[in-house]
Amino acid sequence: MVSVEITPYLDINLDSEMWVCSTCNGDLIECSSNYKIGCSVAERDPSEIHHSEIDTDYKFSPDSNWCKIIEFYCPHCGAMIENEYLPLGHPITHDIDIDVDQLRKIVSEDPGDLRIKS
Amino acid sequence: MLDYGAIQISMREWIRTEPATDHEIEQASKIQPGMYEVYSNKLDVALDEARTVFVRTGVSAFLRAGDLVVGLHNAKGDLVCASCGTYIHAAIAQLPIKYIIDLYIKGDSNVKVKPGDIFYTNEALVGGLHNPDQIAMMPIFFEGELIAWSSAAVHQQETGAIEPGGMPQTATSRHDEGMRLTPIKIAENYEIRDDLMDMMVNFISRAPQMQEIDVRARCTATDKLRQRVQELAQEIGPDCVHGLFRKMIDAAESGARARISSWTDGVYRSVAFVDTTGNDETLLKVALAVHKKGDSIHLDFTGTSPECEGSYNTYGHGVAAFLATYLYPYVFHDLPVSTGTLTPFTFEVPDGSLLNAGHEKAVCNCVYLGRSVISLCFDAFTRLLYSTDPSRAVAAPSSHSGGGSFKGINNIGWPISESFSFTLNTDGQGARHDKDGMNAHGFFYSPWGKTNNLEDFEEHGIFLGLTRRHFNDAHGFGKYRGGVGTQNMNVVISGPVEVTSRGKGSRIPHDNGVFGGYASTSLPGISIIGSDALDLLENEVDFPVSVRELVVDRSISGDYKFERINRSNRTLETGDIWITLSSGGGGFGDPLERDPNSVLSDLNNDLISNWTARNVYHVHIKNGKLDLNKTKELRSNELQSRLHRGTNYNDFSNNWSKKSPPIPVSTF
Ligand SMILES: [Zn+2]
């Protein structure tokens, strides 16, 4: 098994071609897809994270009518892999879109500074 | 006649390095080992000297804080090296020089470029970002041959616009922005022309002395560098100077390409949202896809909203400046500040978008839009870099803080237009892969700048500072938290004074965290009109110095106003309190993984509240003591709660896509 660390919470397993949760080693989804599709997803009200002593129109937390916090968890262990703040209804961002063929080539030829788990 | 369309196209082309001539290549090949190191270092020292002269001869807050740049350019205008200051002009200071070369050297014009000339501009279309950016440029001749240019740029607070302070929130076109000078020849035969100086001072009549002194400071800095470059040409000969410059630009490019090659190929995306045009509320989007392949990077801003009716727009060359502001302090901090470093980058910026606005548009608040671009760079590049170089992976710094400006009469009777630069220069840094972001680390447009002393600010005799301290709970939480910003509360002791504040993000934040770290929060613009603070001080009655405490406790009486963080111009009277806030940087990693001892320490240092310790970090602290067993239980419960809370992506998307914000996202 050859896995490459992509983020502190995600590896790409080049054998199974899967995104893998690095906390519990659970599979998420094929690494050609957006890893978020393999996550458990929750919508949080900004006031659940950002505390405001005042409840005026403008306050110390984002406006929950304007945006929510979308959290992406490992469906196996609950680790928070990522979150993003989006206006209501805005499409989810495909933030990491690795060239897997090139990654495989680099790993086999000269992995350089990549952190390989085997 | 000025051809605006052609200028805008040229600017985007002129960001790139001009092709090397055979003569330069030949001379570069003759540079002996050791020579390059000695003389390139000598030029860096000369630049630092010119920057020091610049800071010491000027007077306004931005300049005195060091938020400026001195650049050395080759004869074709390309930036060879620079001393910063702010990196924002490092990518674009060459543009007005290329404009002068194109019109007044290559073109058929009655304006000629001669020894002893200094050109001067603040027209954003030809190189600054917005018209507060004033730039002096001096051709450097040796034995009759043009061998180089020096440049000195710094933001001037006053522009003669429809509001004081140079960045009017109510501007809707270039005609609201005040003085906009295409390059003029401000000096001839090493002397500044009185008529042109008077013309500028006339435009900037809200702060005439500051304008004149700071113009002279810019010119002095360019001339100091001019002297040093001529001395170098005398010492090693002009041919060797051409070769040295070429080698410096090429070394910068090859260093950048080698660094980029080591990163993992792919596409890395992020989006940010802007909730104000200056005048109004809106919902604008800035989108970035970073395409990294081999030793090159393409930045695609497709999906960005159309230009807006207010002043939160930028011209097309702005994106290179914003990219440079991210790259130099973080990713390329060990590479030369040179046009060569940016050569591996190409840009796709849709015409007519916020990031490539038409020439009639107001752009005076482009730096706040730029802060979105920079946040996106942090988001996308951190995801790109982490797999091979985590030490350079950092979350976004705070970028929607509410600095601002004031205009009044100072203690010696001068009309002045000045900046609340403390707030700008004490933003929090984003969290890093192995440690928290630095608290109040500075102005991310100018990591080398320092915040002015309180005494510098108070000696104007207009305000008394009540609070300058860290601002709790505004940064992004995470395994490593963002650096904390500051709260700045000032009371007017000698009104009236006109004030304004800038910023964005009161509805939707965008200093994102990364890898599960949260963003910094939204902030209001707060003022207390008709306060009794001066009476309380006179009678030695204590009141809270924390804004969060004060807005609940109200032990200073007065009319508490909570507005958008960007507030257009208004007049304050003696006793009124004006509050400016900077948020913190984004967090890095899952907050449940934060060391409970660090959470306790944040609480003890008043950087977070009990509420945050309990609800975000799920740490149990009772009577100042940490309960690790209880914390373990709370965190385990939260992991279970997440799994109950979450649904699969498709179900989530179906539900989510039916929702909408009160204002739709602006699209083409
Ligand atoms: Zn897991």
Side-chain angles (χ1 to χ4, degrees):
Chain A
M1 188 211 48
V2 175
S3 271
V4 185
E5 183 178 343
I6 303 296
T7 87
Y9 299 92
L10 289 172
D11 299 335
I12 283 180
N13 183 324
L14 286 172
D15 298 331
S16 62
E17 302 206 335
M18 295 293 280
W19 284 108
V20 177
C21 167
S22 56
T23 306
C24 71
N25 276 324
D27 283 348
L28 298 180
I29 195 162
E30 306 81 43
C31 59
S32 55
S33 303
N34 184 353
Y35 67 85
K36 289 175 180 174
I37 297 171
C39 290
S40 175
V41 189
E43 173 188 320
R44 311 283 307 270
D45 192 284
S47 64
E48 293 177 58
I49 304 302
H50 302 286
H51 175 55
S52 182
E53 291 82 353
I54 46 173
D55 195 23
T56 39
D57 190 18
Y58 297 100
K59 47 187 176 285
F60 298 118
S61 68
D63 190 320
S64 59
N65 294 314
W66 285 57
C67 71
K68 302 288 183 190
I69 304 171
I70 313 300
E71 299 188 342
F72 303 92
Y73 312 126
C74 167
H76 311 291
C77 70
M80 181 150 62
I81 290 169
E82 194 49 277
N83 65 58
E84 59 178 320
Y85 292 57
L86 290 174
L88 278 74
H90 190 279
I92 305 293
T93 309
H94 184 181
D95 57 0
I96 302 179
D97 193 353
I98 301 266
D99 182 340
V100 178
D101 291 339
Q102 182 65 14
L103 181 67
R104 187 193 306 284
K105 188 161 172 273
I106 299 250
V107 166
S108 66
E109 288 170 5
D110 174 14
D113 296 321
L114 287 168
R115 294 178 298 284
I116 313 285
K117 304 168 181 174
S118 47
Chain B
M1 277 282 284
L2 284 174
D3 180 343
Y4 289 112
I7 290 172
Q8 288 188 281
I9 292 167
S10 296
M11 290 301 144
R12 300 198 306 266
E13 286 168 359
W14 290 343
I15 288 167
R16 303 186 66 73
T17 315
E18 302 298 314
T21 63
D22 292 343
H23 179 250
E24 285 174 341
I25 294 166
E26 187 196 339
Q27 294 304 321
S29 70
K30 292 182 183 167
I31 304 276
Q32 297 298 313
M35 269 180 84
Y36 175 77
E37 288 75 10
V38 168
Y39 291 109
S40 62
N41 190 54
K42 200 163 183 168
L43 287 173
D44 284 338
V45 173
L47 281 159
D48 287 345
E49 177 195 35
R51 176 161 68 104
T52 303
V53 167
F54 195 0
V55 172
R56 290 186 183 176
T57 46
V59 68
S60 62
F62 265 82
L63 197 161
R64 300 271 294 156
D67 299 337
L68 45 79
V69 61
V70 180
L72 172 64
H73 308 251
N74 65 13
K76 291 178 285 189
D78 283 327
L79 186 74
V80 176
C81 49
S83 180
C84 303
T86 169
Y87 291 110
I88 195 150
H89 300 295
I92 55 175
Q94 65 193 33
L95 300 182
I97 296 176
K98 292 188 181 184
Y99 177 90
I100 294 165
I101 293 169
D102 192 56
L103 255 66
Y104 305 140
I105 294 180
K106 294 180 186 164
D108 177 23
S109 169
N110 59 9
V111 177
K112 304 293 174 200
V113 176
K114 297 177 192 157
D117 288 346
I118 298 177
F119 288 84
Y120 204 86
T121 184
N122 79 324
E123 171 53 66
L125 267 180
V126 304
L129 277 173
H130 53 170
N131 66 328
D133 295 339
Q134 298 187 16
I135 309 170
M137 299 148 287
M138 188 172 198
I140 302 173
F141 286 82
F142 185 77
E143 293 173 349
E145 181 200 2
L146 177 66
I147 58 167
W149 292 78
S150 57
S151 69
V154 67
H155 178 113
Q156 193 79 23
Q157 199 58 232
E158 185 51 48
T159 57
I162 48 168
E163 292 178 33
M167 293 164 67
Q169 293 299 312
T170 51
T172 57
S173 84
R174 63 158 44 228
H175 310 290
D176 296 331
E177 296 182 325
M179 180 176 85
R180 294 183 64 150
L181 303 172
T182 52
I184 57 169
K185 197 188 281 192
I186 183 91
E188 285 177 313
N189 291 320
Y190 307 96
E191 277 200 62
I192 294 172
R193 286 175 52 154
D194 292 339
D195 54 350
L196 295 180
M197 181 66 92
D198 285 347
M199 178 196 74
M200 276 199 273
V201 166
N202 185 42
F203 271 117
I204 314 296
S205 56
R206 290 192 187 111
Q209 288 92 344
M210 297 176 97
Q211 176 66 23
E212 174 153 358
I213 293 168
D214 291 345
V215 171
R216 291 185 186 281
R218 291 180 187 87
C219 293
T220 304
T222 58
D223 193 54
K224 174 50 72 182
L225 184 59
R226 186 267 308 168
Q227 292 170 28
R228 295 300 184 214
V229 174
Q230 286 175 335
E231 285 167 15
L232 181 71
Q234 187 71 48
E235 184 182 341
I236 63 176
D239 283 342
C240 190
V241 170
H242 290 304
L244 180 65
F245 286 177
R246 186 75 251 157
K247 204 170 164 84
M248 289 172 74
I249 292 172
D250 290 348
E253 180 178 346
S254 56
R257 288 198 187 279
R259 176 81 35 88
I260 292 167
S261 293
S262 70
W263 301 339
T264 301
D265 283 6
V267 186
Y268 304 84
R269 302 181 187 86
S270 187
V271 287
F273 300 89
V274 180
D275 55 15
T276 178
T277 61
N279 247 344
D280 294 313
E281 296 204 308
T282 184
L283 191 46
L284 309 171
K285 176 174 161 181
V286 187
L288 171 62
V290 170
H291 296 254
K292 187 274 166 186
K293 193 168 176 60
D295 65 358
S296 310
I297 288 185
H298 181 66
L299 283 84
D300 184 355
F301 291 93
T302 301
T304 297
S305 294
E307 57 191 16
C308 76
E309 290 308 310
S311 56
Y312 286 58
N313 295 300
T314 190
Y315 297 136
H317 56 268
V319 294
F322 302 133
L323 173 70
T325 305
Y326 162 70
L327 287 178
Y328 284 123
Y330 283 92
V331 184
F332 290 162
H333 63 81
D334 46 356
L335 294 177
V337 180
S338 155
T339 180
T341 316
L342 297 177
T343 303
F345 295 86
T346 52
F347 304 91
E348 173 73 39
V349 193
D351 280 338
S353 69
L354 291 172
L355 298 176
N356 196 356
H359 71 273
E360 280 288 315
K361 287 289 164 191
V363 295
C364 54
N365 283 290
C366 66
V367 286
Y368 282 94
L369 185 67
R371 285 172 170 231
S372 299
V373 175
I374 295 164
S375 294
L376 296 184
C377 288
F378 275 92
D379 292 350
F381 278 84
T382 288
R383 290 176 173 88
L384 161 58
L385 288 164
Y386 185 83
S387 59
T388 52
D389 193 357
S391 72
R392 291 175 208 261
V394 183
S398 61
S399 72
H400 47 238
S401 62
S405 60
F406 60 95
K407 179 203 160 269
I409 306 292
N410 76 0
N411 59 331
I412 54 169
W414 285 11
I416 62 161
S417 184
E418 256 301 7
S419 161
F420 293 102
S421 76
F422 173 79
T423 304
L424 282 181
N425 281 288
T426 55
D427 273 338
Q429 186 193 29
R432 296 163 279 185
H433 81 292
D434 60 349
K435 54 175 92 65
D436 295 340
M438 214 181 290
N439 298 335
H441 87 306
F443 184 25
F444 80 84
Y445 271 126
S446 179
W448 294 86
K450 64 173 179 61
T451 186
N452 293 87
N453 291 330
L454 179 59
E455 290 75 10
D456 268 7
F457 171 75
E458 286 185 334
E459 77 176 2
H460 294 304
I462 297 172
F463 287 99
L464 181 72
L466 298 176
T467 285
R468 283 185 163 202
R469 68 202 302 260
H470 287 139
F471 186 42
N472 48 327
D473 269 352
H475 57 281
F477 311 119
K479 177 179 182 179
Y480 300 106
R481 61 160 173 78
V484 175
T486 61
Q487 45 192 325
N488 185 13
M489 182 157 71
N490 301 298
V491 59
V492 180
I493 56 169
S494 176
V497 57
E498 290 179 67
V499 293
T500 183
S501 76
R502 277 95 74 156
K504 64 178 188 302
S506 287
R507 298 289 190 195
I508 176 165
H510 57 79
D511 305 328
N512 291 328
V514 66
F515 305 140
Y518 288 109
S520 59
T521 193
S522 289
L523 295 173
I526 307 174
S527 54
I528 310 171
I529 303 304
S531 93
D532 61 352
L534 292 174
D535 295 336
L536 297 178
L537 288 169
E538 182 82 35
N539 296 314
E540 298 186 11
V541 179
D542 239 356
F543 50 80
V545 290
S546 153
V547 170
R548 284 180 185 266
E549 268 180 68
L550 185 62
V551 298
V552 175
D553 162 284
R554 308 260 170 140
S555 51
I556 295 176
S557 67
D559 179 13
Y560 283 66
K561 290 189 179 302
F562 300 90
E563 303 171 73
R564 263 202 332 258
I565 196 163
N566 55 323
R567 293 167 279 180
S568 60
N569 191 55
R570 77 274 312 269
T571 302
L572 299 182
E573 302 294 344
T574 302
D576 292 347
I577 291 176
W578 189 250
I579 295 170
T580 53
L581 302 170
S582 67
S583 59
F588 192 113
D590 187 344
L592 286 190
E593 293 189 358
R594 183 162 181 78
D595 181 345
N597 288 296
S598 301
V599 176
L600 179 64
S601 160
D602 286 349
L603 186 64
N604 288 339
N605 291 322
D606 200 19
L607 303 182
I608 61 167
S609 59
N610 272 305
W611 188 94
T612 297
R614 199 170 54 245
N615 293 289
V616 179
Y617 289 117
H618 299 271
V619 167
H620 192 85
I621 297 168
K622 200 167 179 190
N623 301 325
K625 290 240 163 23
L626 193 61
D627 184 333
L628 285 175
N629 286 329
K630 185 83 178 144
T631 297
K632 203 171 168 189
E633 189 186 322
L634 289 176
R635 289 184 161 183
S636 170
N637 292 345
E638 173 57 14
L639 285 174
Q640 288 309 309
S641 302
R642 287 177 175 177
L643 294 175
H644 289 133
R645 200 187 292 142
T647 53
N648 77 59
Y649 185 92
N650 287 336
D651 290 347
F652 174 85
S653 292
N654 286 337
N655 187 30
W656 174 248
S657 61
K658 295 182 186 117
K659 300 185 180 188
S660 58
I663 300 175
V665 176
S666 166
T667 53
F668 277 96

